[in-house]
Amino acid sequence: MGKLAKWLRLMGYDTLFFKGSSDSQMIAMAMAENRVILTRDTQIMRRRVVANGRLKAILIQSDEPERQMRQVMDALRLDCQFQPFSICLECNQPLLERSREQVKDQVPPYVFQTQSQYMECPACHRIYWRGTHWQAMTRKLEHLVKG
Ligand SMILES: [Zn+2]
């Protein structure tokens, strides 16, 4: 599920990876923040707020991240709002645009030479650019979106 969370963030969706201890806590948080729960736990699906439709939850069927992604995109009809490169993959914060000059000392020289667009996470200060890793992930996502 960790990989699924990162992919959703890569697409630009505000995605929390819940690390708390109790289901009730997660449900309360999802209700308060108007979130959809993605879970592999059938117990969650039996909760009253989920069963009666007040809280939306999706029971993830597969162990495999690509299939999980496909299921979530189908269930939530996500493909039309694809906004990659907008949320930190690690901490789910909206990224801020940075100029080349601003990141000069924070990225490797070869990156500085070849990339012109950068984003920074205001929380962990990680710098993002459209490098090879990002491209590989995006290609995979596009493939998934097209089915
Ligand atoms: Zn971050």
Side-chain angles (χ1 to χ4, degrees):
M1 298 291 279
K3 194 160 187 187
L4 177 64
K6 279 195 183 180
W7 272 355
L8 286 167
R9 285 173 190 161
L10 180 71
M11 287 181 83
Y13 295 103
D14 171 4
T15 309
L16 287 184
F17 193 75
F18 187 76
K19 296 191 192 87
S21 50
S22 80
D23 289 353
S24 311
Q25 206 184 340
M26 178 170 73
I27 285 168
M29 201 166 146
M31 295 286 282
E33 298 181 12
N34 216 357
R35 293 180 180 278
V36 176
I37 292 181
L38 309 176
T39 183
R40 301 224 54 201
D41 181 358
T42 53
Q43 296 297 324
I44 301 275
M45 305 309 286
R46 296 198 200 103
R47 291 291 185 124
R48 199 175 44 190
V49 281
V50 174
N52 71 17
R54 280 184 63 213
L55 175 63
K56 186 162 180 154
I58 298 172
L59 184 64
I60 299 295
Q61 310 286 352
S62 176
D63 278 325
E64 204 229 315
E66 289 187 30
R67 284 177 176 225
Q68 294 177 344
M69 193 65 194
R70 187 72 246 172
Q71 189 194 351
V72 172
M73 286 194 298
D74 285 345
L76 299 177
R77 297 196 183 84
L78 295 183
D79 18 351
C80 37
Q81 311 164 45
F82 203 127
Q83 237 194 334
F85 213 40
S86 57
I87 285 183
C88 179
L89 299 186
E90 301 302 328
C91 34
N92 195 42
Q93 291 288 317
L95 300 178
L96 305 172
E97 269 183 65
R98 291 287 179 255
S99 70
R100 266 179 106 213
E101 290 311 312
Q102 284 174 304
V103 301
K104 194 174 193 301
D105 301 325
Q106 292 161 274
V107 300
Y110 76 92
V111 171
F112 181 76
Q113 293 301 324
T114 53
Q115 303 289 324
S116 55
Q117 275 184 297
Y118 298 92
M119 307 291 273
E120 181 175 353
C121 170
C124 70
H125 299 287
R126 188 181 295 254
I127 306 290
Y128 287 87
W129 61 89
R130 296 180 186 235
T132 48
H133 176 65
W134 188 86
Q135 282 167 1
M137 274 181 90
T138 318
R139 226 172 286 130
K140 213 167 189 180
L141 268 181
E142 275 167 3
H143 177 74
L144 281 173
V145 170
K146 285 173 195 143

